[in-house]
Structure formats: C-alpha cells, structure tokens
Amino acid sequence: MKHLTILLALTLGLAGCTRTETYPLGTDVTVTRSDSTSVSGRLVEVKSDRIVVQRLDGGNTEVLKSQIESLKAMSPLAAQRPTAEAPVPTSAQATPPAAAEAIPLATGDSKAPAAVDPASLASKPRPTTAAKPKPAAPRANSSPTPAAHTEEPAPAASVREPSPPPPPPVKVPEYRELTIPSGTTLSATLATSLASDTSKVEDTVRATLKSPVSIEGFELLPAGATIAGSVTRAEPAAKVKGRALLAFRFNSVDLTAGSEHLSTETITREASSTKGKDATKIGIGAGAGAIIGGLVGGGSGAATGAAIGGGAGTATVLATKGDEVRLPAGTPVTVTLTSPLTIRVEVK
C-alpha cells in the first residue's frame, strides 16, 4: 500500500510533463535520447537531473533527463542476452530498493505514465561477475536421467627397463715374498765396454741376465733383466812393473715392479804377466850383440858385443808398456750374490 501511494504521488507531481514513465531500480531498460541514440542496460541509479544505466558490457552510462526522448522496459528475451562479464555491483546496486522509486522524465509526450508492476521486474535475475546459469529444475513427472558413465582409460603399464648386470667382483691381488739366498750365481752378459786404460772409478756398468732365476715355481729374475753397478778400480798397465787391473760390481736389478737392490761380489780382471816376454827380448838383444862383436873383433869382440846387445834389449823392455785389460760388450760374466735378495711377487 505504501508503494502505491509513493507511485501515485510521483505520478501526480509530474502530470505537467509532456510524458512520464516509472521503473524501479534494477529494471532492464532502453533509453532513447533526443539525438536518436539509445542506451540499453540496467537502471542502477536515479539522480535529480540524470539517470545511470549499467550497459550490457558492464560499463555505466549517465543520461541527462533533459535529453531523454523515451524510456522503455526491455523485453525478457533481450534482457537475458549473454553479455561480457560485468563487474560485481556494489551493495547499493545489488540490493533492490524496498519501494519502487518514481522516475519523472521530461519528454515531449503528455500521455499518462504507464505503471510497471515492480514485483514482475524484481524477480528478474541480474547477472553477476562470472555468474554461471543455473540448471533448470526437473519436471515433477519426469525421472532424472543418470549421467552417462564414461570409462576412464586404464593407465598405461609402465615398462621397466632391465637393470644392467652387476659388475664382476674386483679381484684383490695376492702377493707373497720369496728370497734368493746368498751365494747364488747369476749368468750375465756385459752391455757396457770396459778397459783398464779408459774406464774410471764409479763409471756405470750394465749387464743382462742370460737365464732366469726361479724359486718355488715363481720366476723372480727373468732372462733379459738388466743389472747395474759401477767400476770400483781401474789401473792401466805400467812400464816393467805393474800389470793392468780392472774391477767392478753390481748393486741393482731392474724388474717390472721397479728396481730392487742387490749386493754382489767384486769382479776383478788383471792383465797377464810379461816377465817371460821381457827375458826373451833381453836374450835376443844379447845374442845379436855377440854375433856382431865376434864378426868385428873375434872372441873379445863377441863378449863385448853380447854385453852391448843385452843392454839394448833391457832398454827395449823398459820402454815397452804391459798389456791392458779390455772387456768389450758381450763378454760373459758370472755374478755372485753376497746377501739374500727378497722379491715380492703376485700369486695368480
């Protein structure tokens, strides 16, 4: 009753206007301006000199009342057309007024305003931001149709690649130590040339083993292994007195696992004596002198020639050096160990 009174009072107050139409806030309307342009949307605000219409795209348009040619309610089909998502209205816009407000519009038509039932307009749903349409309620006499059951595809069976075979166990080598006793002889061949008149003390001497040395079935010193040492004494031959002498020994052997220390006897070589040769040289000189003296002066001349010839032979011996000791490469030597030689070997 109160609503009708307000509507009647507004209608009578605007009776002097050329044309008046009345719609409550929230009504979907079409506003036609005096320049023949129109705006369609929802009526969201009424001011003293203008109205505010929320367009279908969500924006607001203000229209001066003096420019309004006509204001008509939109048909329900036009009002429910899908539009772009509009922003969520404020609380003042979302809540319809308790009483319908009269909207006086000054138009050129003086016909009486057509009253619109607010109840029929208030029931219209208003779209909100990202609002989804509600499903229609099922009919009373129709049973709901169950949704078709869609079978989900079975997950693909995962194929596991075969794992690689485990690596073979690492074999830890085993070792044992074997000893070559002291006094063992090693057959070797010199790889270095030596001479009593050219070699010097501490010169390096090398030789190679001609045959292997094995203990308990393990080859400790293979054939061809190199043994090394040094010259310990080198004396060249002297005149008349002193024979040439050369001495050397070995102190290491080269193996696959590295060098091993060894101790050997000293190998000594001395030139042979020249006493017999010297006596022969003196005798030959004395005989030749005697022959020459006999031919010249007879018996006494022979004696004198012998003495002179013997002196000449002695001088020849004194001016001649003895033989030198020479050991060329390839000379065979025998090496004797003076201490045990322990070697670590792998047990296969």
Side-chain angles (χ1 to χ4, degrees):
M1 187 64 180
K2 183 178 179 182
H3 295 170
L4 294 177
T5 303
I6 295 173
L7 289 174
L8 181 58
L10 293 174
T11 302
L12 294 175
L14 297 174
C17 298
T18 58
R19 184 176 181 184
T20 305
E21 295 185 21
T22 305
Y23 299 102
L25 295 178
T27 303
D28 294 323
V29 298
T30 299
V31 182
T32 304
R33 299 189 182 91
S34 57
D35 57 359
S36 299
T37 60
S38 62
V39 179
S40 298
R42 179 160 296 180
L43 184 62
V44 295
E45 187 176 358
V46 177
K47 299 182 181 180
S48 61
D49 59 341
R50 67 192 66 191
I51 63 174
V52 180
V53 178
Q54 185 181 43
R55 300 187 306 274
L56 298 180
D57 61 0
N60 293 338
T61 300
E62 295 185 356
V63 183
L64 296 175
K65 292 181 179 180
S66 60
Q67 297 178 352
I68 297 176
E69 180 70 23
S70 65
L71 176 64
K72 296 181 181 180
M74 296 174 60
S75 63
L77 293 178
Q80 295 179 2
R81 287 185 301 174
T83 62
E85 293 185 359
V88 179
T90 60
S91 60
Q93 297 171 345
T95 306
E101 297 183 10
I103 306 173
L105 301 176
T107 64
D109 194 354
S110 60
K111 294 182 180 179
V116 181
D117 185 6
S120 64
L121 296 176
S123 62
K124 295 180 181 179
R126 183 182 180 187
T128 59
T129 303
K132 297 181 180 180
K134 296 182 180 180
R139 295 180 181 179
N141 58 354
S142 62
S143 59
T145 302
H149 177 68
T150 58
E151 295 184 359
E152 296 182 358
S158 59
V159 180
R160 294 184 59 186
E161 296 182 358
S163 57
V170 179
K171 183 180 178 181
V172 179
E174 297 181 7
Y175 295 90
R176 60 176 298 187
E177 291 184 347
L178 296 174
T179 301
I180 302 175
S182 175
T184 302
T185 57
L186 309 176
S187 297
T189 302
L190 282 179
T192 305
S193 297
L194 302 174
S196 58
D197 59 341
T198 58
S199 298
K200 302 292 187 295
V201 175
E202 295 185 358
D203 282 355
T204 300
V205 182
R206 296 185 183 276
T208 55
L209 297 181
K210 293 195 297 183
S211 57
V213 178
S214 300
I215 299 293
E216 298 182 12
F218 292 93
E219 187 178 76
L220 303 184
L221 300 178
T226 301
I227 56 177
S230 60
V231 175
T232 59
R233 188 176 176 185
E235 297 179 1
K239 296 177 182 179
V240 181
K241 292 184 178 180
R243 291 179 291 174
L245 184 142
L246 181 66
F248 56 93
R249 63 185 175 188
F250 298 95
N251 51 31
S252 67
V253 57
D254 295 334
L255 301 176
T256 303
S259 179
E260 293 286 344
H261 176 75
L262 55 81
S263 178
T264 66
E265 290 182 353
T266 300
I267 299 174
T268 303
R269 293 288 185 271
E270 187 177 11
S272 59
S273 176
T274 60
K275 289 183 179 180
K277 295 180 180 179
D278 294 344
T280 301
K281 291 178 182 179
I282 295 172
I284 292 174
I291 292 171
I292 295 172
L295 293 176
V296 175
S300 60
T304 304
I308 296 171
T314 302
T316 302
V317 170
L318 293 176
T320 304
K321 293 175 60 176
D323 296 335
E324 299 291 345
V325 178
R326 302 188 184 280
L327 301 176
T331 302
V333 292
T334 300
V335 182
T336 303
L337 298 179
T338 57
S339 62
L341 174 61
T342 301
I343 298 177
R344 187 169 179 256
V345 295
E346 181 180 356
V347 179
K348 299 181 179 179

